[in-house]
Amino acid sequence: MFTSPRWVRPVAMVAALFGLLTIYSGGMALFGDDAARAAVGDAVPLVLWFNFLAGFFYVLGALALYYSTRWAQPIAWLIAASTLLIFAIFIVMAFSGTPFEWRTFFAMVLRSGFWLAIAVAVSNSPMSKAETT
């Protein structure tokens, strides 16, 4: 029987928490009261909506990791690649004069790096080669 590497479950739990916090903060920014929306500052709507929706995929990816499913690797790469794409679009928008918050830039660095690290680690682990459910 295949056992996943020791790092998988703790990272999956962090990813799930990251996803839930992303859903909460994005939901407050998008659907909260006036004070919550004002606290966001110069949010870039594309990035805000993407991150809110990506939070649900973070939770899904966390579950895939936790249970060492065969789709853990593809979902990690999907999250990493789509986050990097939105980050690139965000950078172009910022350079073209779109108002933004620097915390958004640093959050996108964190999000991109986190999921890229997971995708690479899963790809290089025995998990990616095993027949799992």
Side-chain angles (χ1 to χ4, degrees), residues 20-34:
L20 293 172
L21 290 172
T22 298
I23 293 166
Y24 174 77
S25 64
M28 290 299 293
L30 290 167
F31 311 115
D33 61 16
D34 291 339

Side-chain angles (χ1 to χ4, degrees), residues 32-47:
D33 61 16
D34 291 339
R37 288 195 307 270
V40 174
D42 287 323
V44 177
L46 171 71
V47 176

Side-chain angles (χ1 to χ4, degrees), residues 91-103:
I91 290 170
V92 169
M93 292 174 74
F95 274 115
S96 70
T98 300
F100 70 96
E101 296 290 335
W102 276 102
R103 64 183 177 216

Side-chain angles (χ1 to χ4, degrees), residues 84-97:
L84 286 167
L85 174 64
I86 295 297
F87 192 18
I89 293 169
F90 167 76
I91 290 170
V92 169
M93 292 174 74
F95 274 115
S96 70

